[in-house]
PDB file of all heavy atoms in Angstrom:
ATOM      1  N   ASP C 253      29.900   7.422  11.336  1.00 94.00           N
ATOM      2  CA  ASP C 253      29.891   8.530  10.379  1.00 94.00           C
ATOM      3  C   ASP C 253      28.584   8.560   9.587  1.00 94.00           C
ATOM      4  O   ASP C 253      27.813   7.600   9.589  1.00 94.00           O
ATOM      5  CB  ASP C 253      31.083   8.363   9.418  1.00 94.00           C
ATOM      6  CG  ASP C 253      31.531   9.692   8.835  1.00 94.00           C
ATOM      7  OD1 ASP C 253      30.906  10.723   9.151  1.00 94.00           O
ATOM      8  OD2 ASP C 253      32.502   9.696   8.057  1.00 94.00           O
ATOM      9  N   ILE C 254      28.370   9.671   8.917  1.00 95.00           N
ATOM     10  CA  ILE C 254      27.225   9.825   8.021  1.00 95.00           C
ATOM     11  C   ILE C 254      27.748  10.395   6.712  1.00 95.00           C
ATOM     12  O   ILE C 254      28.580  11.311   6.715  1.00 95.00           O
ATOM     13  CB  ILE C 254      26.187  10.817   8.581  1.00 95.00           C
ATOM     14  CG1 ILE C 254      25.827  10.465  10.022  1.00 95.00           C
ATOM     15  CG2 ILE C 254      24.936  10.834   7.723  1.00 95.00           C
ATOM     16  CD1 ILE C 254      24.831  11.421  10.614  1.00 95.00           C
ATOM     17  N   ALA C 255      27.257   9.862   5.609  1.00 95.00           N
ATOM     18  CA  ALA C 255      27.699  10.364   4.309  1.00 95.00           C
ATOM     19  C   ALA C 255      27.133  11.746   4.066  1.00 95.00           C
ATOM     20  O   ALA C 255      25.967  12.014   4.355  1.00 95.00           O
ATOM     21  CB  ALA C 255      27.243   9.411   3.207  1.00 95.00           C
ATOM     22  N   SER C 256      27.966  12.634   3.529  1.00 93.00           N
ATOM     23  CA  SER C 256      27.453  13.922   3.075  1.00 93.00           C
ATOM     24  C   SER C 256      28.162  14.264   1.775  1.00 93.00           C
ATOM     25  O   SER C 256      29.066  13.556   1.346  1.00 93.00           O
ATOM     26  CB  SER C 256      27.661  15.008   4.135  1.00 93.00           C
ATOM     27  OG  SER C 256      29.028  15.247   4.331  1.00 93.00           O
ATOM     28  N   GLY C 257      27.745  15.345   1.159  1.00 91.00           N
ATOM     29  CA  GLY C 257      28.382  15.777  -0.074  1.00 91.00           C
ATOM     30  C   GLY C 257      28.265  14.739  -1.171  1.00 91.00           C
ATOM     31  O   GLY C 257      27.265  14.026  -1.267  1.00 91.00           O
ATOM     32  N   PRO C 258      29.306  14.610  -1.995  1.00 91.00           N
ATOM     33  CA  PRO C 258      29.237  13.688  -3.130  1.00 91.00           C
ATOM     34  C   PRO C 258      28.999  12.241  -2.694  1.00 91.00           C
ATOM     35  O   PRO C 258      28.323  11.490  -3.391  1.00 91.00           O
ATOM     36  CB  PRO C 258      30.619  13.824  -3.784  1.00 91.00           C
ATOM     37  CG  PRO C 258      31.148  15.125  -3.316  1.00 91.00           C
ATOM     38  CD  PRO C 258      30.553  15.384  -1.971  1.00 91.00           C
ATOM     39  N   MET C 259      29.534  11.866  -1.528  1.00 94.00           N
ATOM     40  CA  MET C 259      29.338  10.493  -1.075  1.00 94.00           C
ATOM     41  C   MET C 259      27.867  10.250  -0.745  1.00 94.00           C
ATOM     42  O   MET C 259      27.343   9.162  -0.990  1.00 94.00           O
ATOM     43  CB  MET C 259      30.218  10.205   0.151  1.00 94.00           C
ATOM     44  CG  MET C 259      30.267   8.739   0.525  1.00 94.00           C
ATOM     45  SD  MET C 259      31.029   7.704  -0.786  1.00 94.00           S
ATOM     46  CE  MET C 259      30.525   6.082  -0.222  1.00 94.00           C
ATOM     47  N   ALA C 260      27.204  11.256  -0.222  1.00 94.00           N
ATOM     48  CA  ALA C 260      25.769  11.103   0.071  1.00 94.00           C
ATOM     49  C   ALA C 260      25.001  10.857  -1.221  1.00 94.00           C
ATOM     50  O   ALA C 260      24.106  10.012  -1.277  1.00 94.00           O
ATOM     51  CB  ALA C 260      25.240  12.353   0.769  1.00 94.00           C
ATOM     52  N   GLU C 261      25.367  11.572  -2.246  1.00 92.00           N
ATOM     53  CA  GLU C 261      24.681  11.373  -3.530  1.00 92.00           C
ATOM     54  C   GLU C 261      24.954   9.977  -4.068  1.00 92.00           C
ATOM     55  O   GLU C 261      24.081   9.330  -4.648  1.00 92.00           O
ATOM     56  CB  GLU C 261      25.137  12.423  -4.541  1.00 92.00           C
ATOM     57  CG  GLU C 261      24.683  13.817  -4.156  1.00 92.00           C
ATOM     58  CD  GLU C 261      24.934  14.846  -5.264  1.00 92.00           C
ATOM     59  OE1 GLU C 261      25.068  14.439  -6.442  1.00 92.00           O
ATOM     60  OE2 GLU C 261      25.009  16.039  -4.951  1.00 92.00           O
ATOM     61  N   MET C 262      26.193   9.506  -3.860  1.00 94.00           N
ATOM     62  CA  MET C 262      26.533   8.155  -4.313  1.00 94.00           C
ATOM     63  C   MET C 262      25.685   7.116  -3.582  1.00 94.00           C
ATOM     64  O   MET C 262      25.123   6.214  -4.194  1.00 94.00           O
ATOM     65  CB  MET C 262      28.030   7.920  -4.069  1.00 94.00           C
ATOM     66  CG  MET C 262      28.611   6.742  -4.812  1.00 94.00           C
ATOM     67  SD  MET C 262      27.970   5.120  -4.332  1.00 94.00           S
ATOM     68  CE  MET C 262      29.260   4.529  -3.297  1.00 94.00           C
ATOM     69  N   VAL C 263      25.565   7.284  -2.261  1.00 96.00           N
ATOM     70  CA  VAL C 263      24.759   6.319  -1.494  1.00 96.00           C
ATOM     71  C   VAL C 263      23.295   6.400  -1.915  1.00 96.00           C
ATOM     72  O   VAL C 263      22.628   5.388  -2.119  1.00 96.00           O
ATOM     73  CB  VAL C 263      24.894   6.584   0.026  1.00 96.00           C
ATOM     74  CG1 VAL C 263      23.915   5.715   0.809  1.00 96.00           C
ATOM     75  CG2 VAL C 263      26.318   6.333   0.486  1.00 96.00           C
ATOM     76  N   GLU C 264      22.803   7.625  -2.053  1.00 93.00           N
ATOM     77  CA  GLU C 264      21.382   7.808  -2.387  1.00 93.00           C
ATOM     78  C   GLU C 264      21.039   7.209  -3.738  1.00 93.00           C
ATOM     79  O   GLU C 264      19.990   6.610  -3.921  1.00 93.00           O
ATOM     80  CB  GLU C 264      21.029   9.301  -2.400  1.00 93.00           C
ATOM     81  CG  GLU C 264      20.967   9.915  -1.010  1.00 93.00           C
ATOM     82  CD  GLU C 264      20.794  11.432  -1.046  1.00 93.00           C
ATOM     83  OE1 GLU C 264      20.922  12.043  -2.131  1.00 93.00           O
ATOM     84  OE2 GLU C 264      20.542  12.012   0.034  1.00 93.00           O
ATOM     85  N   LYS C 265      21.937   7.389  -4.696  1.00 92.00           N
ATOM     86  CA  LYS C 265      21.609   6.962  -6.062  1.00 92.00           C
ATOM     87  C   LYS C 265      22.101   5.562  -6.379  1.00 92.00           C
ATOM     88  O   LYS C 265      21.596   4.926  -7.296  1.00 92.00           O
ATOM     89  CB  LYS C 265      22.222   7.937  -7.061  1.00 92.00           C
ATOM     90  CG  LYS C 265      21.552   9.286  -7.016  1.00 92.00           C
ATOM     91  CD  LYS C 265      21.856  10.061  -8.279  1.00 92.00           C
ATOM     92  CE  LYS C 265      20.915  11.243  -8.412  1.00 92.00           C
ATOM     93  NZ  LYS C 265      21.644  12.488  -8.643  1.00 92.00           N
TER      94      LYS C 265
END
Side-chain angles (χ1 to χ4, degrees):
Chain C
D253 206 359
I254 309 179
S256 65
M259 191 63 194
E261 293 189 22
M262 196 295 259
V263 172
E264 287 173 349
K265 291 198 165 128

